[in-house]
Amino acid sequence: MKLSYGAAALLALASGTSAQNVVQFDLNRGLPGVRLGSAHPKLSRRATLTSDLVNNITGGAYYVDVSVGTPGQTVSMVLDTGSSDAWVVGTRANLCIDRKLQEYYQQQCLATYNPARSSSYKMLYRNSFNIKYLDGGGAAGDFITDDFTIAGTTIKSLQMGYARQTSRGTGILGIGFNTSESAAVPYPNIIDQLRDQGKIGTKAYSVWLNDRRSQTGTILFGGIDKGKFIGPLKILPIIKADEAATPTAFDVAFYGMSVKYTNGSKSDIRTSLSNDKLAAVLDTGSTLSYLPEYMTSQIFTELGAVTESQVTGLTLIDCKYLTSEPDLVVSFDFGGTATITVPVWELVLDLLADYQYLMPADIPFDNVCVFGIQSTTGFEESQVVENATFALLGETFLRSAYAVYDLDSHQIGIAQANLNSTDVDIVELKAEDKGLPTLIGALAQQTTNPPRTTTPTDGGGGGGTQTVTVTATPDNAGRGGSARLPGGGGAGDLIAVMAITSIFALVGGALVAL
């Protein structure tokens, strides 16, 4: 996502044949090298498009394998609601051929794209693609067009970036507003083309990431799955930046949060509310969630979280919260219109099992985890986000929410996620709809075993569900470099610090296009 400010617009399986213009991608969580999928009922032609994504928690992203060119070349991309350009890594990109860059960025190129092998490739604008992210990474190269196939459905002549210089080993599939593209003149991006080429009826999609322990979730283009949320779908207007004619980011009015116990056994710990609403962007491209310091300080104090600057630069929390307080939640308030509760254990990321000995001695707990809520202080002190006040609600928030992004009506639908639900009840969104419909989801949380894994299937030429499996891969989005050791250390410690620096580059930086 491009940075744009007013109030701080920031940061980057249907069943049945009634859902006619719905495109769905299954989100599957896995470890690097593991292929996951799910089998679904057959559908009518053009009814549903299913593609598996992989969530690797340390990679900080949801991945999809797509096919680019004729014949198709499989490439991995990060799905990102916080940016708007699709771009792929070229086979001869600098990162792919320079070992020093690979060591510096702690990156390896994955499946790449070679335009010379595609009969449908066209050069559009040479040296015109340039995108930078808040974590210091980025990509540069050309704007091209080529056929783009995802889950068996082909978008003809999609404009995308072709990266010849990159700090990332995978490309990005941005699905935001075309007003936030890196191009000088907005162009029809993948969401526009899905609608314009008749794959979906309207430019809207629904995201259900599921909980972080689960293997499956979905993103559904052109439809809403009532089986994946609880209670009424609340409708929030998307906030435009000051003097902007149209939105550039998925900002909604956010009023604050509180920490409480859902079983009523204890009183609320404390409420932390802003003096006024602020813009909060809902971004799948950010692993963590970022809130102003005046809001996070109370939460950190009450949960015993501490901000550590020597090694990680992040706020850390006692890993005991993974199991010790199952009824403790953080409640996010959207002005009384909607409230989403996130279990505290969903906000505790156990990424440091092998690096506990590197933690400074003054951390007041022995078992150190990363907290899923961070302060925006570091952003605000940077030249990029100088004097900005904003909230970024990333994956640590979105896994507990069902979110519908309506780019045509400039609305966000939001409800409590029905975690691990196996129910499917899809409502197609149509061009003639005037905004998001009023819908009621499940009556209560469905309790099931984790969703099953399956093998890939082929939709074929006669219709049916089309499934593409994806390999999870680490997403070293940030820069490499060294961290300061507490009290020094030997060569083994230095290697460990490089590894931990890579981990925190993954979780610490949002996909924010400048």
Side-chain angles (χ1 to χ4, degrees):
M1 173 189 304
K2 282 187 176 179
L3 290 176
S4 58
Y5 297 106
L10 183 75
L11 287 111
L13 188 101
S15 63
T17 58
S18 60
Q20 290 300 312
N21 286 312
V22 179
V23 176
Q24 176 173 303
F25 302 85
D26 277 2
L27 308 176
N28 290 287
R29 180 177 182 223
L31 298 175
V34 178
R35 290 183 174 270
L36 300 171
S38 54
H40 311 298
K42 292 295 182 182
L43 303 175
S44 63
R45 187 175 181 85
R46 289 178 58 239
T48 303
L49 172 65
T50 304
S51 175
D52 293 336
L53 296 176
V54 178
N55 170 29
N56 177 4
I57 188 65
T58 58
Y62 289 82
Y63 291 81
V64 60
D65 277 354
V66 302
S67 179
V68 181
T70 307
Q73 302 170 45
T74 300
V75 298
S76 295
M77 306 182 79
V78 173
L79 186 79
D80 182 26
T81 62
S83 63
S84 303
D85 298 278
W87 62 269
V88 294
V89 178
T91 301
R92 300 292 297 172
N94 61 345
L95 178 68
C96 305
I97 61 176
D98 189 331
R99 181 165 295 183
K100 291 183 179 179
L101 285 178
Q102 294 169 13
E103 293 175 354
Y104 179 74
Y105 289 114
Q106 293 290 294
Q107 281 281 316
Q108 294 288 331
C109 289
L110 303 176
T112 57
Y113 165 74
N114 186 347
R117 296 181 179 177
S118 173
S119 62
S120 49
Y121 153 80
K122 291 183 180 179
M123 170 64 68
L124 197 58
Y125 306 113
R126 192 175 298 277
N127 298 322
S128 59
F129 172 67
N130 192 335
I131 191 167
K132 295 184 182 298
Y133 296 103
L134 192 58
D135 63 12
D142 312 317
F143 270 115
I144 65 170
T145 64
D146 209 337
D147 292 349
F148 187 96
T149 300
I150 186 164
T153 292
T154 299
I155 299 172
K156 304 296 290 185
S157 300
L158 178 68
Q159 179 170 338
M160 67 192 86
Y162 169 65
R164 289 183 282 104
Q165 294 88 39
T166 178
S167 61
R168 305 177 55 90
T170 55
I172 303 295
L173 184 59
I175 52 176
F177 290 100
N178 61 22
T179 51
S180 191
E181 292 165 345
S182 61
V185 178
Y187 62 88
N189 64 9
I190 188 170
I191 302 304
D192 300 315
Q193 294 285 27
L194 280 170
R195 192 271 310 275
D196 295 347
Q197 296 189 26
K199 313 304 180 185
I200 57 178
T202 186
K203 293 193 297 183
Y205 53 85
S206 309
V207 174
W208 180 69
L209 298 183
N210 215 350
D211 75 51
R212 63 176 173 80
R213 302 172 300 179
S214 301
Q215 293 179 334
T216 64
T218 57
I219 179 166
L220 183 66
F221 289 90
I224 298 173
D225 188 347
K226 296 195 298 180
K228 300 301 187 293
F229 63 91
I230 301 168
L233 183 72
K234 299 299 182 67
I235 310 302
L236 307 174
I238 294 176
I239 300 172
K240 294 184 293 186
D242 290 350
E243 300 180 359
T246 59
T248 58
F250 295 119
D251 285 319
V252 295
F254 175 60
Y255 286 78
M257 58 185 180
S258 62
V259 178
K260 59 185 179 182
Y261 287 87
T262 58
N263 61 10
S265 62
K266 300 179 182 180
S267 60
D268 292 1
I269 291 178
R270 187 175 296 194
T271 299
S272 177
L273 292 174
S274 59
N275 295 326
D276 195 3
K277 65 183 178 183
L278 69 156
V281 63
L282 307 183
D283 185 7
T284 65
S286 177
T287 304
L288 306 178
S289 297
Y290 297 86
L291 299 166
E293 193 273 338
Y294 68 83
M295 297 174 67
T296 59
S297 60
Q298 297 178 64
I299 301 297
F300 293 169
T301 298
E302 298 299 340
L303 295 179
V306 295
T307 300
E308 187 282 312
S309 59
Q310 283 188 305
V311 178
T312 67
L314 296 177
T315 298
L316 307 175
I317 193 169
D318 195 330
C319 292
K320 71 178 183 180
Y321 284 106
L322 284 168
T323 57
S324 65
E325 301 283 0
D327 297 313
L328 186 62
V329 301
V330 178
S331 181
F332 291 76
D333 174 31
F334 296 90
T337 301
T339 300
I340 301 298
T341 58
V342 180
V344 167
W345 63 262
E346 279 275 9
L347 297 169
V348 180
L349 307 183
D350 188 6
L351 304 178
L352 301 174
D354 296 329
Y355 304 104
Q356 298 292 327
Y357 72 97
L358 288 174
M359 296 298 101
D362 58 352
I363 292 181
F365 37 86
D366 295 329
N367 199 2
V368 180
C369 283
V370 179
F371 194 36
I373 296 175
Q374 300 285 314
S375 171
T376 59
T377 299
F379 290 135
E380 291 169 346
E381 292 175 351
S382 72
Q383 294 179 354
V384 175
V385 196
E386 185 177 1
N387 299 321
T389 301
F390 65 91
L392 176 98
L393 301 181
E395 295 163 11
T396 52
F397 166 82
L398 287 171
R399 274 189 281 269
S400 296
Y402 188 88
V404 185
Y405 299 73
D406 188 339
L407 287 76
D408 279 336
S409 299
H410 301 167
Q411 295 177 327
I412 295 285
I414 196 167
Q416 194 72 36
N418 188 8
L419 299 178
N420 296 317
S421 172
T422 56
D423 292 342
V424 177
D425 187 1
I426 289 179
V427 175
E428 180 187 350
L429 299 173
K430 301 178 180 179
E432 59 268 24
D433 292 340
K434 302 298 183 183
L436 292 174
T438 300
L439 298 174
I440 305 294
L443 296 178
Q445 170 67 56
Q446 181 183 78
T447 302
T448 67
N449 293 323
R452 61 191 181 279
T453 61
T454 62
T455 55
T457 59
D458 182 7
T465 301
Q466 303 152 32
T467 304
V468 175
T469 57
V470 200
T471 301
T473 50
D475 173 21
N476 300 329
R479 292 175 291 185
S482 61
R484 293 191 300 273
L485 279 174
D493 285 344
L494 178 59
I495 293 172
V497 170
M498 290 178 66
I500 197 172
T501 301
S502 177
I503 287 176
F504 284 101
L506 305 184
V507 301
L511 289 180
V512 184
L514 309 182

